[in-house]
């Protein structure tokens, strides 16, 4: 009985270490400085609002960080374009923010596929989000 428990424990530890090592392979790249852009506020008068976002991307392999870094100006431009065309409702609500984040992710994957033949980016994360 002890032998079966020991073997079960060893098997569990091996499986957990495999899962942990698979999760440890991801890497992150942060765009510096934060992205600051404007959006048009809703209302009768023309007013601008400002949004400041710290963007990080997750890549499935640390070797992809240099690829993302090489294409950072292209990605940054696209993130600015998406954020600057957002509505006030998108900028101010949690659902809208998540829609913007997903739009950034989708577009980043498209651009990286066009440039490298591989989507490279696994996730886009907003680590700071301030609007006024």
């Amino acid at each position: 009985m002890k032998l079966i428990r020991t073997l079960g424990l060893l098997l569990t530890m091996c499986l957990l270490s495999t899962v942990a090592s698979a999760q440890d392979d991801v890497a992150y790249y942060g765009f510096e400085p934060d992205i600051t852009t404007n959006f048009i506020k809703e209302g009768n008068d023309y007013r601008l609002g400002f949004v400041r976002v710290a963007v990080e991307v997750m890549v499935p392999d640390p070797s992809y960080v240099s690829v993302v870094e090489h294409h950072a100006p292209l990605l940054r431009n696209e993130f600015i374009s998406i954020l600057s065309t957002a509505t006030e409702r998108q900028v101010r609500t949690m659902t809208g923010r998540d829609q913007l984040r997903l739009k950034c992710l989708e577009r980043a994957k498209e651009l990286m596929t066009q440039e490298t033949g591989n989507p490279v980016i696994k996730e886009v994360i907003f680590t700071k989000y301030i609007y006024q």
Side-chain angles (χ1 to χ4, degrees):
M1 191 68 167
K2 278 188 174 182
L3 180 61
I4 293 173
R5 279 190 221 160
T6 305
L7 287 175
L9 181 61
L10 286 173
L11 181 61
T12 303
M13 287 176 26
C14 287
L15 289 173
L16 289 176
S17 69
T18 303
V19 171
S21 67
Q23 291 173 348
D24 289 342
D25 288 346
V26 300
Y28 297 88
Y29 176 80
F31 289 83
E32 292 293 330
D34 294 349
I35 294 174
T36 304
T37 188
N38 53 18
F39 64 93
I40 298 174
K41 289 188 171 187
E42 296 167 353
N44 294 335
D45 57 333
Y46 180 79
R47 298 177 301 146
L48 289 179
F50 296 92
V51 62
R52 179 178 177 180
V53 182
V55 179
E56 305 228 1
V57 294
M58 179 196 307
V59 292
D61 186 332
S63 65
Y64 290 157
V65 171
S66 61
V67 175
V68 172
E69 186 175 20
H70 177 74
H71 294 286
L74 178 66
L75 293 168
R76 183 180 185 82
N77 179 65
E78 197 61 33
F79 295 155
I80 290 170
S81 176
I82 290 168
L83 292 168
S84 67
T85 58
T87 64
E88 183 176 13
R89 183 179 306 259
Q90 282 180 307
V91 169
R92 291 183 178 262
T93 64
M94 291 298 288
T95 306
R97 288 183 215 174
D98 198 44
Q99 289 172 348
L100 290 171
R101 185 188 63 78
L102 291 174
K103 194 172 185 180
C104 287
L105 172 63
E106 179 183 314
R107 190 64 182 128
K109 283 183 173 184
E110 287 173 8
L111 287 173
M112 293 308 288
T113 301
Q114 287 173 2
E115 295 297 317
T116 67
N118 184 348
V120 178
I121 295 171
K122 187 174 182 178
E123 193 63 69
V124 171
I125 304 164
F126 292 165
T127 56
K128 184 190 314 177
Y129 192 93
I130 302 168
Y131 62 87
Q132 177 181 350

